[in-house]
Amino acid sequence: QLHLVESGGGSVQAGGSLRLSCAASGFTYSSYTMGWFRQVPGKEREGVAAVDTDGNTRYADFVKGRFTISQNNAKNTLYLRMNSLQPEDTAMYYCAADYVLKTPQFILGFPSPNYWGQGTQVTVSS
């Protein structure tokens, strides 16, 4: 059974950094497009960053230059390095995986990836 577990969230001040991790199990990790989403209560979920099976990455415009997605296929782990965090980055961050969807669809947020983690909260104070 496919399983995604996020970690690394927390509270930081504006300008700070965090690194999120997503430990994956139960599937052939290298065969799936992986990505990060975020959601604030009352707002739509938005795609943040994604990486495909060839290692190509794609980012939402609002994180370009600040966030970096990476992965360690040997450890079946996805990462999101977040620098220069701002209060508007406060959200629940989710890891997602899909066998069919590609990175543009992850950033667009539609269709929704098939597999999701439980999320990790990121809070940025001013």
Side-chain angles (χ1 to χ4, degrees):
Q1 183 175 355
L2 193 149
H3 203 46
L4 302 171
V5 179
E6 301 95 334
S7 61
S11 297
V12 296
Q13 291 191 327
S17 299
L18 284 172
R19 189 181 79 158
L20 306 183
S21 299
C22 173
S25 61
F27 65 109
T28 305
Y29 178 87
S30 59
S31 297
Y32 283 64
T33 297
M34 302 292 298
W36 291 95
F37 291 75
R38 70 186 188 185
Q39 189 168 24
V40 176
K43 293 188 176 181
E44 289 190 1
R45 183 179 60 206
E46 50 188 7
V48 174
V51 56
D52 67 17
T53 56
D54 293 322
N56 300 307
T57 59
R58 189 176 292 265
Y59 296 91
D61 288 342
F62 54 80
V63 302
K64 282 182 180 177
R66 300 190 299 126
F67 292 10
T68 303
I69 190 170
S70 63
Q71 57 187 352
N72 185 327
N73 286 357
K75 294 185 177 181
N76 288 358
T77 302
L78 180 73
Y79 303 100
L80 184 68
R81 177 68 180 183
M82 304 185 294
N83 295 328
S84 301
L85 283 163
Q86 299 302 314
E88 52 266 34
D89 295 316
T90 295
M92 184 72 79
Y93 283 72
Y94 297 92
C95 172
D98 197 277
Y99 185 76
V100 175
L101 298 181
K102 303 303 180 185
T103 57
Q105 293 158 309
F106 268 63
I107 300 305
L108 183 63
F110 181 83
S112 177
N114 272 329
Y115 304 102
W116 294 86
Q118 83 290 348
T120 186
Q121 178 68 37
V122 172
T123 302
V124 185
S125 58
S126 58

